[in-house]
Amino acid sequence: MKTFAQKVKSELCEPRVERKCCAVAEAYGVLLYCRCFSPREIRISTASLEFAQRLPHLFKKAFGVGFDVLPDEAGAKKSFGITQPEKIKTIYDTFGNDMNNPSLHINFGVIEEQCCKASFVRGAFLAGGSVTDPEKRYHLELATTHYSVSREAEAVLLELGFSPKSAERKGNHLLYFKKSEGIEDLLTTIGAPISAMDVMSAKIEKDMKNSINRKVNCDSANADKVVAAAAEQMEAIRRIDKLYGLDSLPDKLQEAALLRFANPEASLSDLALLSYPPVSKSCLSHRLKKLIDYKPEGGE
């Protein structure tokens, strides 16, 4: 069974790349977030079958080159490689990178259009991204070993209207989102609207469950208060009956005492309606409170 992250990557790989500029931008994101992108070797590994199927077409469209190393069909992890120097030079030249200066940076001139920026982030996510099942928690991240790439990718996301947080973990530089709305919007922007709806649905379901739990807890707390108050009133009524007799009570207090004694589990609202003539809830509450502190005139 696929994880949520695998489903997202499958959805991102469904549309074929038609525009060359977007193919170049997506491949750029893949290369900067893949396992190895150097003047000597390019190596991309993935557990996503759909991404593995997409890569050859993507690189052919973007650079006109194929992979020198193709994955073993039986393996769970698919690994692609390019080692021929002329192919690597073609790729480096596409991005204006100097093979003699292998420090990686984003050439923003390659991803000037909004569609190309979104394609770049899609490639980065396919190669180095992950997202948690929204039914458990909200977390989407992009991870690369290159500090400069992560900082510059943050600038790309800011230009797209997103504000990721950054962190370091085990030698990786992370950009991440922990709010459902940010994850929904990012997935929609990079081409996974169905997955974005799954995040939204999970949030609605969680909010509904939390709302029901709050109501149940509130009702339970109110019920506990009603039971405690009624117990205190019943104890007061028994004390009055034992020490003074209920006949010592003024008529209205006596009526309230008898009403409570006959309906020990009823709420104040119900007791107020049972009164004859009916009285307000606050009026009945006031009378029952008087019973708790009651002493007859001249009594000790």
Side-chain angles (χ1 to χ4, degrees), residues 32-277:
L32 292 176
Y33 275 81
C34 73
R35 189 170 180 182
C36 177
F37 178 31
S38 75
R40 296 182 60 186
E41 179 187 15
I42 292 171
R43 189 164 68 256
I44 304 166
S45 296
T46 180
S48 169
L49 178 61
E50 292 80 5
F51 182 36
Q53 292 170 341
R54 183 181 183 83
L55 273 171
H57 170 71
L58 179 67
F59 271 57
K60 184 65 75 172
K61 182 79 174 180
F63 314 116
V65 303
F67 289 98
D68 301 323
V69 179
L70 293 172
D72 178 1
E73 291 185 6
K77 198 87 167 175
K78 310 298 181 184
S79 186
F80 295 80
I82 297 177
T83 54
Q84 292 184 30
E86 63 273 17
K87 290 183 180 181
I88 296 176
K89 184 178 186 306
T90 296
I91 293 171
Y92 266 74
D93 288 346
T94 302
F95 302 126
N97 285 21
D98 183 359
M99 291 183 67
N100 296 317
N101 182 17
S103 176
L104 293 181
H105 289 275
I106 296 175
N107 181 349
F108 291 96
V110 177
I111 52 173
E112 288 184 323
E113 301 297 327
Q114 291 294 96
C115 60
C116 293
K117 289 183 176 70
S119 295
F120 173 86
V121 177
R122 178 169 59 250
F125 181 83
L126 286 170
S130 63
V131 60
T132 304
D133 186 339
E135 292 185 3
K136 297 176 181 176
R137 62 190 181 103
Y138 307 120
H139 185 89
L140 182 150
E141 69 179 36
L142 299 173
T144 176
T145 56
H146 307 288
Y147 172 74
S148 57
V149 169
S150 187
R151 289 300 302 271
E152 291 159 6
E154 182 175 6
V156 175
L157 286 167
L158 288 170
E159 289 182 12
L160 286 171
F162 299 100
S163 299
K165 295 186 180 298
S166 59
E168 288 187 36
R169 184 179 66 225
K170 296 180 180 179
N172 285 319
H173 303 281
L174 310 179
L175 297 176
Y176 66 92
F177 297 84
K178 280 193 170 293
K179 292 188 176 180
S180 62
E181 294 83 357
I183 295 172
E184 291 163 21
D185 292 344
L186 182 65
L187 292 178
T188 300
T189 297
I190 65 177
I194 296 173
S195 298
M197 287 296 294
D198 289 341
V199 176
M200 189 181 300
S201 298
K203 183 177 188 302
I204 291 171
E205 188 174 341
K206 278 184 185 178
D207 289 347
M208 190 176 297
K209 285 181 180 178
N210 289 338
S211 177
I212 291 170
N213 287 338
R214 282 195 296 270
K215 188 176 187 309
V216 168
N217 291 337
C218 181
D219 290 346
S220 177
N222 288 338
D224 290 344
K225 288 179 182 178
V226 168
V227 170
E232 186 180 19
Q233 293 156 10
M234 290 290 289
E235 185 179 346
I237 292 166
R238 292 190 185 95
R239 177 182 58 81
I240 293 168
D241 187 39
K242 181 179 180 180
L243 295 178
Y244 315 114
L246 294 184
D247 290 341
S248 68
L249 292 168
D251 291 345
K252 291 180 179 179
L253 291 187
Q254 187 178 105
E255 180 187 355
L258 293 172
L259 197 60
R260 167 52 82 196
F261 198 79
N263 303 276
E265 297 180 0
S267 66
L268 276 177
S269 299
D270 292 338
L271 285 181
L273 291 174
L274 290 171
S275 300
Y276 186 81

